[in-house]
Structures are given as C-alpha cells and as structure tokens.
Amino acid sequence: MANAQLTPRLLRVLGVWTATAIVVGTVIGSGVFKKPNAVAREVDRFSLILLAWVLVGMLAMFGALAYAAVATLFPRAGGNYVFLREAYGRLAGFLWGWVDFGIIRSGSIAALASVFSESVHDVLRQLRDLPPHARVFSFWTQQALTVVVILALSAVNVRGVRWGGLLQLIVTTVKAGSLLAIILLPFAVLAWVGEPEHPPRLGNLSPSWPVSYTH
C-alpha cells in the first residue's frame, strides 16, 4: 500500500471546462486568423478556396479518428510516445520524445508566439493609421516581444497545472469569442444599420471555377 501511494502519477486537477478549453485551443490555433488570408492570396477562385478547406478538414478528421483508435487501444499518458513505443519499440518512442521536445513542440511554440507579436504590431499600426508596409516595431523589438511571450507563458505553466489550465481557458474563450464575433458582425450591422449602400453581390464570386480562355 505504501509503495502504491508513492508511485508518481499525473495530478487530476483539470475540470471539464478547462480540459475542453485545452482541446479546443489545440485544434483552433492562432493560425486560423492568418491562414485564410494566405490561402486566399494563393488561390484565386472562391470554390477552390472552399475545396482546399474541405479537403484539409477531412484530412484532419481522419487523423483525429486514427488518434481516437490508438488512444482507445493504449489509454496511457504519453500520446505519440506511447503509440510509437508499442508499435515500433522503445527506440522509436525515445527518438520521438526528443524530436517532439527539441524540434516539433519548440518550433510550434515559436511560430505561435511570432503570430502573436505580428498581430500586436498590426493592431498598433492600424491604431496609428499607418500605411500597410510601415513599421511600428523594429525587427529586433518584435523578436524580443516574441521571446517575452514565450517566457511569460512558460512561467505560468511552471507555476502549476491549474494556472496553465486557467490561462488556456481564458485564451480559448477570447479566441472562440473573436471567431463568433466575426461570424455575427455582418448580421448585427445589417440589423442595426439596415441595407448597406454597397450590398454584397454573389456575382463577385464568379467565376467560381477556373475556366480556360481561347483567343
């Protein structure tokens, strides 16, 4: 009994709402505010833009179903480490752990922090009514802000699981609320202001599919 009590184990301190916020925050990353613009710039047809998002969504769903299947087979903490260890041996799990720690996870954290600092820069530029290519921060100032964000979030998570979960709940609420506001804003403006001077026209989405032109 004494040995069982001394066995190290993960603390079960996250509630339903916090755990849900962590999952939602993992699925809906900060890239959702950046990637649609990049996809729209590279793809010049509305139907192809929608098709790209549908195909990527289906790919993500297949990946989620695969993870759900292996998580049911191996319901233990460790995620990919456990799955690769059970499938290919301890060496594969060991290598995955270090690759995830040194490359994948660190690169993801750096990318998300960079998106945050770029967004802060864009907001300040808009508030100052500066042209699109004007700089509010210097290059190194923006990189310093990125590093500060990473250190601040690391400090919160080092403080404890409850603190990290609470921060994730707040961030996910803001993120989901922002997306909901973007969706509802046109309808709210239409209800408050009435018919706009330049209403949206479906003809602006044409041609919806690439067509060949003959000369």
Side-chain angles (χ1 to χ4, degrees):
M1 180 65 67
N3 293 333
Q5 293 177 351
L6 294 177
T7 301
R9 63 183 61 188
L10 298 177
L11 298 178
R12 298 177 179 270
V13 297
L14 299 178
V16 175
W17 287 104
T18 304
T20 303
I22 292 175
V23 175
V24 172
T26 303
V27 175
I28 306 177
S30 301
V32 72
F33 298 101
K34 292 288 185 179
K35 293 175 183 176
N37 182 33
V39 173
R41 285 201 313 265
E42 299 297 330
V43 184
D44 59 352
R45 292 293 182 269
F46 178 72
S47 57
L48 292 181
I49 295 174
L50 290 182
L51 180 61
W53 284 106
V54 170
L55 292 177
V56 171
M58 293 178 61
L59 181 63
M61 182 184 68
F62 293 151
L65 293 176
Y67 266 105
V70 292
T72 302
L73 293 174
F74 306 106
R76 294 190 291 274
N80 288 331
Y81 168 79
V82 174
F83 307 150
L84 291 174
R85 184 191 65 192
E86 297 296 330
Y88 303 108
R90 297 187 62 182
L91 178 60
F94 174 82
L95 293 177
W96 162 261
W98 279 107
V99 168
D100 185 59
F101 177 80
I103 300 175
I104 299 175
R105 197 63 54 189
S106 58
S108 175
I109 292 173
L112 293 175
S114 297
V115 169
F116 176 83
S117 60
E118 290 175 3
S119 299
V120 172
H121 178 273
D122 292 341
V123 169
L124 294 178
R125 180 174 52 79
Q126 293 285 346
L127 292 176
R128 296 186 181 185
D129 198 20
L130 297 176
H133 298 291
R135 299 289 305 178
V136 178
F137 297 147
S138 67
F139 172 80
W140 290 111
T141 301
Q142 187 165 330
Q143 303 313 309
L145 176 60
T146 302
V147 173
V148 169
V149 170
I150 295 175
L151 293 177
L153 294 179
S154 300
V156 172
N157 284 277
V158 169
R159 180 67 178 79
V161 177
R162 288 189 179 90
W163 285 81
L166 177 61
L167 178 61
Q168 182 64 61
L169 178 61
I170 296 173
V171 172
T172 301
T173 302
V174 173
K175 192 186 307 180
S178 299
L179 292 175
L180 185 62
I182 292 174
I183 295 172
L184 297 179
L185 182 60
F187 301 98
V189 171
L190 183 62
W192 184 266
V193 179
E195 187 69 22
E197 182 179 356
H198 301 287
R201 300 179 184 278
L202 295 179
N204 294 333
L205 302 178
S206 298
S208 60
W209 195 261
V211 295
S212 60
Y213 296 95
T214 57
H215 298 282

